[in-house]
């Protein structure tokens, strides 16, 4: 999963876009199951650690998985994740 993200995930993204793109990249280059596990695992780590667990992050991750399923390539995935979502306006 780290290899899928290393060179493809830009560093300076709004949180919801970063979640969407990360989950989408993992789904594209690994599997939907691994993307889902990474999503839940990250939020559990935040919940029991020093992070900030948010439902909105899980929603962005699910959106990224949908974007990966509907995109032909990484550019399409990025375009899908960069669209404004209700979570970004809060």
């Amino acid at each position: 999963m780290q290899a899928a993200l290393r060179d493809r995930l830009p560093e300076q993204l709004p949180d919801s876009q970063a979640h969407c793109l990360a989950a989408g990249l993992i789904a594209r280059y690994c599997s939907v199951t691994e993307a889902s596990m990474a999503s839940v695992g990250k939020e559990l780590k935040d919940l029991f650690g020093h992070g900030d667990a948010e439902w909105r992050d899980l929603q962005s991750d699910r959106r990224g998985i949908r974007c990966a399923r509907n995109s032909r390539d990484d550019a399409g995935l990025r375009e899908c994740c960069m669209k404004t979502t209700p979570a970004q306006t809060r």
Side-chain angles (χ1 to χ4, degrees):
M1 288 185 281
Q2 291 174 351
L5 300 177
R6 187 177 309 121
D7 297 325
R8 295 177 182 95
L9 186 64
E11 291 185 29
Q12 301 297 327
L13 288 176
D15 189 55
S16 61
Q17 290 176 352
H19 274 271
C20 181
L21 190 53
L25 287 168
I26 294 169
R28 282 183 61 81
Y29 289 96
C30 301
S31 70
V32 170
T33 300
E34 287 168 299
S36 299
M37 288 173 56
S39 172
V40 172
K42 199 267 187 207
E43 292 311 306
L44 286 173
K45 181 180 174 186
D46 287 350
L47 182 64
F48 294 108
H50 298 290
D52 186 19
E54 297 183 83
W55 284 113
R56 193 172 23 200
D57 291 346
L58 292 171
Q59 292 171 332
S60 294
D61 293 337
R62 284 193 305 271
R63 182 162 192 257
I65 293 168
R66 281 193 308 274
C67 287
R69 286 181 171 158
N70 296 322
S71 299
R72 291 178 180 244
D73 54 22
D74 288 357
L77 171 61
R78 277 192 297 278
E79 183 179 327
C80 180
C81 285
M82 297 308 152
K83 292 178 184 174
T84 303
T85 65
Q88 293 172 335
T89 59
R90 290 181 190 167

